[in-house]
Amino acid sequence: MTTSFPRQFARTRRFTLGAPRAFRIAPGGERVLFLRSPAGDDPQTCLWELDLDTGTERIVADPRTLGDTHEDLPPEERARRERLRETAGGIVAYACDADVRRAVFPLSGRVYLADLLGGAAPRLLETAGPVGMVIDPRLDPTGARMAYVSEGALHVLDLDGGADRVVAEPDGPEVTWGLAEFIAAEEMQRYRGYWWAPDGRSLLVARVDEEAVPRRYIADPANPGKPPNVVAYPAAGTVNAQVTLWVVGLDGERVQVPWNNIGYEYLVTADWDEHGPRAVVQSRDQRNTQILEIDPESGASGVLRSDHDPVWLDNVPGVPGITESGDLVWTADADDTKRLIVGSEPVTPPGLQVDSVLDVDGDTILFAATDEPTELYLWTYGPDGLRRLTDEPGVYMGRRTGGTTVVAAQSLDYDGVLVRVLRGAPGEEDEVARIDSHAVTPPLTPRVELLRAGEREIRTALLLPTGYDPASGPLPVLLDPYGGPHALRVRAARRAYLEGQWLADQGFAVVIADGRGTPMRGAAWDRSVRGDLLTPVLEDQIAALEGAARSHPGVLDTSRVGIRGWSFGGYLAAAAVLRHPDVFHAAVAGAPVTEQELYDTHYTERYLGHPDEEPDNYARCSLLPDAPKLSRPLLLIHGLADDNVLVAHTLRLSSALLAAGRPHTLLPLSGVTHMTPQEVVAENLLLLQVDFLTRALG
């Protein structure tokens, strides 16, 4: 029996299972660690090592041989994976010492230690916390100790002597040590809450107090006897968690790191290397950021750098860093460009947008940047100046240590991810190995055409049915955007269009567009949605539709236009049929944010301001007042266990539609969160959406 594409798409986690990821290079550059599942339909991820001197791969740890595949995760770990959008199982994270001689990894709330040089089988570590409750284990740089969090307390385990002690214990019912709070993990990409000193004798630790944060109660209506899940969720305009930083010794002695917590209440990131501990803090309105340098003895902090923007400042992954020579590595906006800063000077030219800093290897910086938002390239900056490491059009990410660079590439020319390992001096790198992907080859090949629509040159992807003949007549159109901040859908990568091509093969012309507010086109483009997250975004989706139709006369039937999306894309889809029924004739809105006041502080206030100070922005972006205008078929879908976009968003819109007498369809998903990794759920969601749109558009 042939497996359907929707089932295969779900089973392979969008054809990502089996692809190598999470690379770590040994300091000498001779070994590479990575994660990969044995097969493209196997969710049990293993830890692997590639020896570049011999060219051989080996499995360091396999959950099956450890007898730990039941995935009984503690609640904190489930929440952590939800924030990371982690859909695989098995070994999904690991941490090494500075020399990459040892590695630890969690499995089902327990932790294992692997000796990478000796080759012995990983051993289960005996921890003092309750069985199955180990969170975020990390080795100290010397490899002698491991820290972990259990029930909100930070533990340190001596790996050779076996002594396990609590170095920071909750001093209140809603206090945790060493964990990232909801806002940090969901919006700031900070997934950890402690950082080891280089000598392994102390730690920089975040203390999080959520006592004043509003509570949200997420029930499971399918199981009425089950108590609701209680989540500390800071909605726009409400109180955030109180986050402080402490230097904690192995004996439990600690000193607080003081800063202006009232003016700078967000802890964006922190680190501790041979140059000392550092932290980045940000004001609630996100217009001011400070880099703090910290005295590890007294805890005293000083401002290393301050930045201000009248609209907002971006938090760029991978910064700050320090080169071997002691220069600060940072990014800043200048000339409508996100530029790399080394020391105090920009070293990248106007027009080259920096996406992230990937590694600082001595005095050489590896970073991802582009002058074309559909593509992303690897660059280095160092003593030899600025150099582009990758040339062929595509989307690249990578790591660099000890003169070895791992390059992970996606392209429109091939499926999946191609991983190459390069060694050599900058400008003289040679490919010395490839890391194979075990991902399943998709059963279809996307035929995507990239366009620039309208006067704003909106990056647009168009997919037509495989083998489509224009003589067969025009096609109904399906817009499939995300369309909001932080995410790009139109990329020079074939894997990005697998679902889009399958949708096209069901009889649609599929249009995907990245309009204003999406990243990598400069600060002015990003900030054009400040105060209104809907009007410019909808305008650009319409412009993309019109541009695609003009470029293919007689192919797109603009009298039959559907739109579907999830999260911000769901918000956009619902708004499309409510505000522009003359253009959009049916919509599928998955997990939509319908009232911005219900969404979180950091994201919402960034774009709309504080609701007490700028209430008109919130009123302008709410969908509830538009409910009486609905005149087109609308399918609302929402997971009842969603702790990111609460189901209240969809239920309130549905109630407003019912009160206005406007017919619509509501599909609640019991036990489903903001992600939909469950195989049966993901498969049937695709089929139900196509059925709804086909019937609605005729």
Side-chain angles (χ1 to χ4, degrees), residues 31 49 58-61 101 113-123:
R31 293 179 292 119
E49 183 183 62
R58 71 179 183 97
I59 296 181
V60 174
R101 295 178 295 110
L113 172 69
D115 181 353
L116 300 174
L117 299 183
R123 63 182 174 94

Side-chain angles (χ1 to χ4, degrees), residues 209-549:
D209 186 346
E210 297 181 323
E211 183 177 4
V213 179
R215 294 308 191 263
R216 298 294 181 259
Y217 301 88
I218 302 175
D220 183 0
N223 296 282
K226 183 180 178 181
N229 183 30
V230 182
V231 178
Y233 189 97
T238 66
V239 178
N240 280 310
Q242 183 184 57
V243 182
T244 52
L245 265 181
W246 300 72
V247 178
V248 179
L250 297 182
D251 58 0
E253 290 295 319
R254 57 181 182 255
V255 295
Q256 186 173 356
V257 177
W259 79 83
N260 178 7
N261 296 79
I262 297 176
Y264 294 82
E265 65 180 80
Y266 290 125
L267 173 64
V268 177
T269 189
D271 197 12
W272 196 338
D273 57 21
E274 61 273 16
H275 300 282
R278 295 179 301 278
V280 178
V281 295
Q282 190 176 61
S283 60
R284 178 154 178 163
D285 63 11
Q286 298 169 61
R287 294 172 181 169
N288 297 283
T289 296
Q290 291 181 342
I291 306 175
L292 307 178
E293 50 185 355
I294 300 165
D295 182 338
E297 298 297 327
S298 67
S301 65
V303 178
L304 183 62
R305 179 185 170 105
S306 293
D307 286 87
H308 170 78
D309 188 275
V311 185
W312 72 64
L313 289 163
D314 295 305
N315 297 322
V316 175
V319 295
I322 302 288
T323 66
E324 190 173 56
S325 301
D327 289 327
L328 176 69
V329 180
W330 189 241
T331 62
D333 288 306
D335 306 304
D336 200 31
T337 305
K338 185 75 62 189
R339 300 176 71 179
L340 181 68
I341 307 295
V342 178
S344 58
E345 298 297 324
V347 297
T348 50
L352 181 63
Q353 307 287 349
V354 174
D355 172 79
S356 56
V357 172
L358 303 170
D359 267 313
V360 179
D361 182 23
D363 285 333
T364 299
I365 302 158
L366 178 71
F367 63 99
T370 188
D371 56 3
E372 166 50 50
T374 62
E375 301 165 2
L376 188 64
Y377 296 96
L378 293 183
W379 295 72
T380 60
Y381 177 81
D384 60 329
L386 181 67
R387 188 171 60 89
R388 192 162 103 171
L389 192 62
T390 52
D391 294 314
E392 295 299 318
V395 177
Y396 297 85
M397 294 300 286
R399 298 297 306 269
R400 179 185 173 92
T401 302
T404 294
T405 304
V406 175
V407 178
Q410 298 182 62
S411 167
L412 290 172
D413 295 330
Y414 49 81
D415 297 313
V417 179
L418 175 65
V419 179
R420 300 182 297 135
V421 183
L422 313 178
R423 298 187 78 176
E428 301 176 3
E429 296 95 345
D430 292 317
E431 181 180 316
V432 295
R434 292 194 176 188
I435 301 178
D436 293 335
S437 174
H438 296 166
V440 171
T441 300
L444 51 79
T445 300
R447 306 295 183 187
V448 60
E449 181 179 354
L450 299 183
L451 310 171
R452 297 188 180 189
E455 61 182 15
R456 285 186 286 272
E457 296 190 333
I458 299 161
R459 301 313 193 263
T460 305
L462 175 65
L463 298 108
L464 302 177
T466 302
Y468 169 70
D469 182 357
S472 62
L475 296 163
V477 186
L478 176 57
L479 271 69
D480 189 22
Y482 179 78
H486 301 317
L488 290 169
R489 290 287 313 279
V490 184
R491 311 307 304 269
R494 184 184 291 179
R495 193 171 74 178
Y497 303 105
L498 293 171
E499 190 176 34
Q501 185 62 60
W502 181 81
L503 289 168
D505 289 346
Q506 309 314 301
F508 298 96
V510 175
V511 176
I512 305 170
D514 290 333
R516 280 170 288 176
T518 56
M520 306 311 293
R521 289 192 64 176
W525 181 268
D526 293 347
R527 289 154 173 72
S528 60
V529 297
R530 178 60 170 86
D532 188 348
L533 275 170
L534 268 185
T535 304
V537 178
L538 278 171
E539 288 176 351
D540 287 353
Q541 292 298 317
I542 295 171
L545 169 65
E546 293 172 344

Side-chain angles (χ1 to χ4, degrees), residues 68 72-81 92-93 95 104-113 124-139 146-157 159 164 177-179 194:
D68 212 337
D72 184 16
L73 301 176
E76 294 88 349
E77 179 63 17
R78 290 190 183 278
R80 177 182 168 84
R81 294 190 185 191
V92 300
V104 292
F105 53 89
L107 266 178
S108 297
R110 301 189 293 176
V111 61
Y112 292 81
L113 172 69
L124 178 66
L125 295 177
E126 296 295 330
T127 55
V131 175
M133 293 297 290
V134 172
I135 308 296
D136 195 23
R138 292 181 181 272
L139 289 171
M146 179 192 74
Y148 67 94
V149 180
S150 182
E151 296 188 313
L154 182 65
H155 293 243
V156 171
L157 172 67
L159 295 179
D164 188 322
W177 290 86
L179 293 178
Y194 70 91

